[in-house]
């Protein structure tokens, strides 16, 4: 059973950096691709970044490309999202999710089977 827990969210100013972590208490986390999604108030949940099980493949939304970096440490059952040059429009509830389609990265919410509870990121101008 995959149980995901996000951490690292908080308040930031424009231009600051934050690092989100997504940890799994199970022993099979390395068998899953992992994605980060976010949802701002009144908006649909959207794909932010994803990484395949080995880390060989990554994918980013255009809005975060060049500012965010996704990585994983399978020995620690943890995936990270390094967020640099934060903007007020990055304000949202950030979720990590795991997909059994481990070898590739999907942007579709329906391809992810396990979800965390989310961590809030708020960026002021």
């Amino acid at each position: 059973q995959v149980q995901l827990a996000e951490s690292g969210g908080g308040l930031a100013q424009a231009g600051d950096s934050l690092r989100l972590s997504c940890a799994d208490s199970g022993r099979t986390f390395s068998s899953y691709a992992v994605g980060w999604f976010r949802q701002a108030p009144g908006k649909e949940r959207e794909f932010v970044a994803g990484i395949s099980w080995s880390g060989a493949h990554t994918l980013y939304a255009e809005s975060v490309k060049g500012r965010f970096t996704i990585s994983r440490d399978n020995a620690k059952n943890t995936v990270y999202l390094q967020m640099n040059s934060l903007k007020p429009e990055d304000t949202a509830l950030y979720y990590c999710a795991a997909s059994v389609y481990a070898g590739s990265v999907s942007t579709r919410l329906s391809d992810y089977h396990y979800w965390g509870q989310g961590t809030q990121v708020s960026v002021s101008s």
Side-chain angles (χ1 to χ4, degrees), residues 25-118:
S25 58
R27 295 183 291 176
T28 60
F29 195 44
S30 60
S31 300
Y32 297 88
V34 174
W36 283 98
F37 294 79
R38 67 186 181 187
Q39 188 166 18
K43 295 187 177 181
E44 294 186 351
R45 194 171 299 189
E46 64 176 3
F47 173 81
V48 175
I51 189 166
S52 61
W53 74 272
S54 67
H57 302 288
T58 59
L59 188 64
Y60 297 91
E62 284 297 321
S63 59
V64 306
K65 199 174 291 184
R67 299 188 298 122
F68 291 10
T69 302
I70 189 170
S71 62
R72 68 189 300 161
D73 185 340
N74 286 337
K76 295 183 178 179
N77 286 342
T78 303
V79 170
Y80 304 98
L81 184 67
Q82 178 67 42
M83 305 187 297
N84 297 331
S85 302
L86 283 164
K87 302 176 180 180
E89 50 263 45
D90 294 320
T91 295
L93 189 60
Y94 283 71
Y95 299 89
C96 68
S99 170
V100 299
Y101 306 127
S104 59
V105 181
S106 174
T107 62
R108 299 188 302 185
L109 276 71
S110 58
D111 285 339
Y112 290 84
H113 307 89
Y114 304 97
W115 291 82
Q117 295 299 308

